[in-house]
Structure formats: C-alpha cells, structure tokens
C-alpha cells in the first residue's frame, strides 16, 4: 500500500492544523482513523468507522479528502450539520490549503424567479410579503430560504419545483438560483449534502441525477442513513399535503370568491369541493379507526375508502385535462401541469399503501397538527447495494455509534 496520502495527512494535521489552533492535542484515535480514511480514499473500497465523541472524526476524513484532490460528496444527517461543516470546518481548512467546496440542498430551498415574477397577489397581506420577497430576490446571491430574513408565507408558492420547471427553456434559466447552485456543486472538489438529497440522488439515473459524479462518498452520522433512505424510498401521504394541492387549484377567499388555478373553470368547482369533502371524511376515518404509529398488518381497514378516493382524484385529473384547454397562459399551464403530477402521485400512493408491498411496513401518524399514512422498507440494504455502492470508488461511513 502507498502510504503517501496518510503521511501527508499526518504532516498537515501536525504542522498546519495543530500549529494554528491553540491547545490543539493530537489524539491517537483521530490519527488511526485518518490513516484508515487515507487508505480507503487511495485504494478504494468501503470503510466503516465508529468514532466516539471527541475523536475528531471530521478532520480525520476531511484532511486526506482535501489532500487527495478527488471529487467527493460528504453527506450529513441534517441541514444544520451541513452548515456547520460548510461554514466552520471547511472554511477553516480552506485558509490552510486552497480548494473549492460547496453546499448542496434540496430544490425547495431555492427561490424560483419565474414563479416569483408570475405570482398573482390576492390581498394586502400578500402584497407586503411579495414586495419583501422581490426586494430580497434582487439582492441575494443564493436564493436560499436560509438567507431570507424571517419566514415567508408565500414560500411554498415561489420555491423551485421540478414539476413546474421549464429547464433551459425558461426565461430565467441563466439567473436561476437552483441551477447556478448545481453549477457550483459541479465545480467544487467537495460537496456537502445531507442524507435526504443523497438518497434522492441515488433513486435517479443518468442525466436526471442531482449531485455531480464523484470518486468518494463520506457518510457522516451514518447511523441515520437507513432512516433517511426509508423516508425517501417509501410513501408519505399526508392530509396537509393534499390540502395544499387542492388550495392551489381552488380555494375560497374571505369573501367566498374562488381563487386559484381553476378559478376560471366554474364547471370544476363542485367536483373539487366534493373531492375536498371526501378527503376530509377519509382522514376523519383514519383518526377514528387507526392508532398512532401502530403497524398495519394484513388488509388495510380503509382500503375501500382509499381506493374510492384515489378514483375520485383520477376523475378530477381527467376533468381538468378535458375542460381547461386554451384557458391558461403558458406559466399557468405549467403550474397546472405540476399540480396534476402531484395529484397523480397522491392517487398512486393511496393505491400502493392500500395494497401493501412485501418488505415494507405501514403505519399511521396521528398527531394534533399532522395526520399521515407512512410506508417504508424494513431495511433498505438492497437499495444501498444496488444504487449507492456502485456509484463511488471509495465509501466511508462514520458516526459516534454504528452497528453492522
């Protein structure tokens, strides 16, 4: 084995890091882990490293990663941990050795300029918030909601959405915050992602992948990866999710006047409201007949109800397609198409949940502010083996606690 990277990393830690940070102490567990990470990065393969609190695992994998010059993805459990790696550890190390790094977040964290510019204000409250968003959009370099001062009640309607994206055909493509961020990810040697976006990326193929091709994958907080994968691979059907879709299509204001994408399609008002009522009855039945987080075994007690609801959703989709032709401008047509895609996914989710899938577990979540039906793989080992492992030459999984 060539020990060059391990020796370079050790020298860098001793001479550069320890020489600058006051009272920094070299720790044998950190040195051992750094040597193991160096070997994995150089030779390829998979390393699983349990590193308890105080080991210094972040520098143990970051230093050889930086010195190797290899394109790498570092995946953490949460956006907060991403920010810590990005704003603290990588920023510090970049003062000692020059390299490019970037932070990758899910698409919904970025502002969509097309949606912002075509948004229709419906009341005075929205007018003030819209003006604030427009002012921020003209100044921000990232378009990241984390950089927005305070919370925006309009964010869900102006965020970047793959279902409502025109890609390179969009007028705002060159200024698009999301695609500019992806270009930064492509240029950077190290991209800091989170487990959710890493999981979504693994589900995609070819040009549809979100993250750039990389040689090395570091999975920090590795104990949480299986939960993150299960979240993304499985089904999450919520009452609020459906309400958001319907409200975008049609919702009465305080005067009783209908607003939304279908506000010009009077023929559809009754159909939408009937579906809204059917949905309310369904979720009321979920609350009455199911127990919070109790595993559903065998037949789903509300199968007839859920299948009927799915049929009603598909009927609405067909009615929208046949009765709205020529009523919309291009941007409205795109937003309507996005809503139809989400309605279809919701119907398919209900059907799959009702039928169940081998190797998956089903349960309801019934809380004061949230009601949902969930289905996830018992353990996503096959997905990891088939969709993640083949993508990288080297994989390092680390956490304070790991079990194999």
């Amino acid at each position: 084995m060539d020990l060059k990277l391990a020796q370079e990393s050790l020298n860098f830690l001793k001479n550069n890091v320890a020489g600058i940070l006051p009272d920094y102490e070299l720790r044998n567990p950190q040195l051992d882990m750094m040597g193991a990470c160096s070997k994995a990065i150089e030779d390829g393969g998979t390393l699983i490293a349990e590193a308890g609190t105080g080991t210094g695992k972040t520098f143990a994998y970051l230093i050889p990663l930086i010195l190797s010059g290899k394109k790498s993805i570092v995946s953490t459990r949460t956006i907060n941990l991403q920010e810590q790696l990005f704003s603290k550890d990588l920023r510090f190390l970049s003062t000692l050795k020059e390299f490019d790094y970037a932070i990758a977040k899910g698409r919904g964290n970025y502002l969509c300029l097309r949606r912002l510019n075509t948004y229709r204000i419906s009341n005075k409250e929205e007018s003030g918030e819209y003006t604030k968003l427009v002012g921020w959009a003209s100044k921000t370099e990232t378009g990241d909601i984390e950089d927005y001062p305070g919370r925006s009640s309009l964010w869900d309607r102006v965020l970047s959405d793959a279902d409502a994206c025109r890609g390179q055909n969009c007028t705002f493509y060159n200024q698009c915050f999301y695609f500019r961020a992806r270009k930064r990810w492509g240029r950077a040697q190290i991209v800091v992602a989170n487990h959710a976006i890493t999981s979504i990326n693994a589900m995609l193929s070819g040009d549809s992948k979100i993250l750039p091709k990389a040689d090395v994958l570091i999975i920090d907080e590795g104990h949480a990866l299986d939960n993150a994968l299960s979240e993304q691979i499985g089904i999450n059907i919520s009452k609020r999710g459906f309400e958001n879709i319907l409200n975008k299509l049609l919702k009465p204001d305080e005067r009783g006047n209908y607003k939304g994408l279908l506000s010009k399609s009077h023929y559809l008002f009754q159909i939408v409201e009937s579906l809204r009522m059917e949905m309310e009855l369904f979720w009321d039945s979920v609350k009455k007949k199911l127990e919070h987080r109790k595993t559903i075994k065998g037949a789903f007690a509300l199968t007839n109800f859920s299948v009927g609801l799915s049929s009603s959703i598909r009927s609405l989709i067909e009615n929208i397609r046949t009765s709205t032709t020529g009523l919309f401008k291009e941007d409205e047509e795109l937003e309507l198409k996005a809503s139809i895609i989400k309605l279809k996914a919701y119907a398919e989710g209900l059907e799959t949940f009702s039928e169940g899938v081998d190797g998956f577990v089903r349960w309801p979540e019934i809380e004061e502010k949230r009601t949902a039906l969930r289905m996830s793989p018992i353990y996503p080992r096959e997905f990891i083996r088939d969709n993640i492992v083949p993508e990288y030459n080297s994989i390092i999984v680390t956490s304070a606690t790991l079990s194999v």
Side-chain angles (χ1 to χ4, degrees), residues 232-246:
Q232 300 302 327
I233 301 169
I235 290 174
N236 187 345
I237 310 166
S238 71
K239 178 183 178 183
R240 181 179 297 177
F242 191 78
E243 287 174 346
N244 290 341
I245 301 171
L246 280 191

Side-chain angles (χ1 to χ4, degrees), residues 41-269:
I41 292 168
E42 271 192 320
D43 298 348
T46 300
L47 169 67
I48 298 177
E50 184 176 73
T53 303
T55 299
K57 62 181 172 65
T58 305
F59 280 5
Y61 66 71
L62 280 181
I63 289 174
L65 204 57
I66 292 165
L67 297 180
S68 75
K70 292 185 177 182
K71 182 82 172 185
S72 309
I73 306 293
V74 178
S75 182
T76 67
R77 183 176 59 173
T78 64
I79 289 179
N80 287 338
L81 289 170
Q82 275 185 276
E83 293 284 0
Q84 180 180 323
L85 262 175
F86 179 79
S87 302
K88 182 182 177 183
D89 300 318
L90 287 170
R91 181 170 294 173
F92 166 70
L93 291 171
S94 70
T95 64
L96 306 179
K97 179 176 173 58
E98 186 176 346
F99 65 95
D100 291 330
Y101 61 99
I103 187 168
K105 299 181 182 180
R107 188 164 191 154
N109 289 279
Y110 299 96
L111 176 71
C112 174
L113 291 172
R114 181 195 65 77
R115 284 182 135 184
L116 181 67
N117 279 271
T118 59
Y119 186 79
R120 291 186 297 179
I121 301 168
S122 59
N123 55 52
K124 289 183 179 179
E125 182 181 341
E126 285 191 0
S127 178
E129 182 58 36
Y130 180 78
T131 300
K132 187 178 176 183
L133 268 172
V134 170
W136 175 70
S138 66
K139 299 174 184 177
T140 177
E141 294 183 2
T142 65
D144 184 345
I145 184 61
E146 293 293 323
D147 298 334
Y148 185 73
R151 290 189 171 188
S152 172
S153 57
L154 302 183
W155 188 259
D156 285 346
R157 285 168 277 183
V158 296
L159 59 77
S160 183
D161 182 347
D163 295 333
C165 180
R166 301 186 67 231
Q168 295 185 22
N169 294 321
C170 180
T171 305
F172 299 96
Y173 177 75
N174 289 331
Q175 298 105 320
C176 177
F177 294 116
Y178 173 65
F179 284 108
R180 281 166 57 184
R182 287 187 58 176
K183 288 178 181 177
R184 288 196 296 272
W185 308 346
R187 292 192 300 265
Q189 180 200 340
I190 298 176
V191 178
V192 184
N194 58 58
H195 293 347
I197 194 172
T198 302
S199 302
I200 294 170
N201 187 68
M203 296 169 65
L204 304 173
S205 60
D207 293 339
S208 63
K209 283 190 176 293
I210 303 167
L211 297 174
K213 184 72 175 174
D215 296 308
V216 183
L217 172 65
I218 307 286
I219 302 174
D220 202 342
E221 297 273 286
H223 67 277
L225 179 64
D226 58 341
N227 287 335
L229 284 168
S230 295
E231 288 271 346
Q232 300 302 327
I233 301 169
I235 290 174
N236 187 345
I237 310 166
S238 71
K239 178 183 178 183
R240 181 179 297 177
F242 191 78
E243 287 174 346
N244 290 341
I245 301 171
L246 280 191
N247 288 341
K248 185 164 187 175
L249 292 172
L250 202 65
K251 182 182 180 182
D253 61 16
E254 60 274 6
R255 301 179 189 176
N257 298 318
Y258 279 110
K259 303 292 183 181
L261 291 168
L262 298 179
S263 59
K264 298 176 184 178
S265 306
H266 300 277
Y267 162 71
L268 295 174
F269 287 8

